[in-house]
């Protein structure tokens, strides 16, 4: 991308990164004569062991910890150019003799205007969201990742005209564990090519949900679901996925316009999140993708975006289209998963042709012996395909 405007800076004036301690007091009144001994306990949760991942040169004020009493950490950084990333990990230590659980999490949400040029998140280092009731057992440690970034793929019109200052706050409060406490989920690596890092083509999982890595960037990873979406169960499954129409109502093309669909001509995207509220049989593809995102919410997976693969991405990964039919047979071995899904074709979020003369909606699929890239007529009155979401998540440290 050619950036014609003068370079502007982002100052992340932070964080007040806090742990608040909520303690459930224990008291008893014993009216039966006798001797009762209550074992002594101590409550000690604190931050420790800052581990830099990248961007230490951008610091104005470095985060620090001191001994076993650090419950507040602050930092300040400047990010000069698009693509600059600042990230560090920090341990939460429960050195006490009582199990603890998360009582409440308060985290800054960037405004829509800020999201155009900046990204920010705090998660566990394996990408799981911090959530209520997550257990932190006594004498144990868990690790948080903190990341702020000047967006790498920012559009020229979204470049800030002046230096921007962003203040973010992450607050996590613990209390003594009760019966509500639950062991938190973990993203695990199923297969990887390099033991030291995650790479394109590696497989990761969160419970029953499995993903292949499409792209890796300093601030985020792009994933594709391993399985076709089972829309009946609102979750993915390797068995009996359901074909659906892109929509039962052709709402994207009416009187030479695409109606409520916003069209990005770079990717020919016709994917509209607002269509998730359709009722009856008038479900659009996005309805089912949104339901899948709800599944990820329920298992505490932090995602930045969920959508369909675009045709431009398929081309970038090695698919080609020629008159009479296209294929993805030339994609590298570590990306062959984009078409190999047990013989089922799935919808892309892109159309062929122009705004006033659309041809069809793209779909892609295949098996171990063939690959296919083609289109389905935009009337879609009787055309169905499978669904295979693409999910963007914060970069993992596993």
């Amino acid at each position: 991308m050619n950036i014609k405007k003068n370079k502007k800076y982002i100052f992340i004036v932070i964080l007040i990164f806090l742990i608040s301690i909520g303690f459930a007091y224990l008291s008893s009144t014993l009216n039966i004569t006798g001797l009762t001994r209550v074992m002594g306990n101590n409550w000690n949760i604190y931050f420790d062991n800052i581990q830099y991942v990248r961007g230490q040169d951008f610091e104005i004020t470095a985060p620090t910890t001191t001994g076993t009493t650090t419950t507040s950490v602050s930092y300040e950084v400047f990010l000069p150019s698009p693509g600059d990333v600042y990230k560090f990990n920090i341990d939460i230590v429960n050195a006490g003799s009582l199990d603890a659980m998360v009582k409440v999490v308060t985290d800054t949400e960037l405004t829509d205007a800020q999201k155009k040029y900046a990204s920010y998140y705090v998660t566990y280092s394996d990408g799981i969201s911090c959530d209520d009731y997550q257990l932190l057992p006594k004498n144990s440690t868990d690790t948080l990742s903190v990341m702020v970034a000047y967006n790498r793929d920012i559009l020229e019109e979204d470049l800030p005209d002046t230096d921007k200052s962003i203040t973010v706050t992450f607050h996590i409060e613990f209390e003594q564990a009760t019966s509500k406490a639950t062991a938190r989920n973990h993203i695990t690596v199923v297969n990887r090519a390099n033991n030291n890092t995650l790479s394109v083509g590696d497989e990761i999982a969160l419970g029953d949900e499995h993903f292949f890595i499409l792209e890796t960037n300093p601030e985020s990873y792009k994933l594709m679901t391993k399985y076709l979406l089972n829309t009946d169960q609102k979750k993915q499954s390797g068995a009996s996925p359901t074909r659906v129409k892109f929509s039962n109502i052709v709402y994207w093309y009416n009187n030479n316009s695409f109606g409520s669909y916003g069209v990005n001509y770079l990717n020919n995207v016709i994917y509209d999140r607002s269509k998730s509220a359709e009722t009856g049989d008038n479900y659009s593809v996005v309805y089912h993708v949104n339901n899948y995102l709800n599944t990820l919410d329920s298992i505490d997976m932090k995602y930045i975006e969920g959508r369909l693969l675009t045709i431009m991405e398929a081309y970038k990964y090695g698919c080609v289209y020629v008159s009479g039919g296209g294929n993805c047979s030339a994609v590298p071995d570590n990306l062959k998963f984009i078409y190999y899904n047990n013989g089922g074709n799935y919808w892309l979020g892109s159309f062929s042709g122009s705004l006033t003369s659309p041809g069809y909606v793209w779909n892609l699929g295949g098996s171990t012996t063939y690959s296919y890239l083609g289109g389905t007529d935009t009337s879609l009155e009787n055309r169905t395909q499978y669904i295979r979401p693409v999910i963007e998540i914060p970069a993992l440290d596993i």
Side-chain angles (χ1 to χ4, degrees), residues 192-213:
R192 71 165 111 204
N194 186 329
N195 288 332
N196 298 317
T197 186
L198 287 172
S199 310
V200 172
D202 290 347
E203 181 181 348
I204 63 174
L206 178 57
D208 294 332
E209 308 304 323
H210 287 242
F211 309 87
F212 291 113
I213 297 179

Side-chain angles (χ1 to χ4, degrees), residues 48-54 87-91 143-144:
D48 196 17
N49 188 29
I50 293 170
Q51 310 130 57
Y52 286 101
V53 180
R54 56 178 54 87
K87 184 176 181 180
F88 67 91
N89 295 340
I90 187 168
D91 291 342
T143 303
L144 296 179

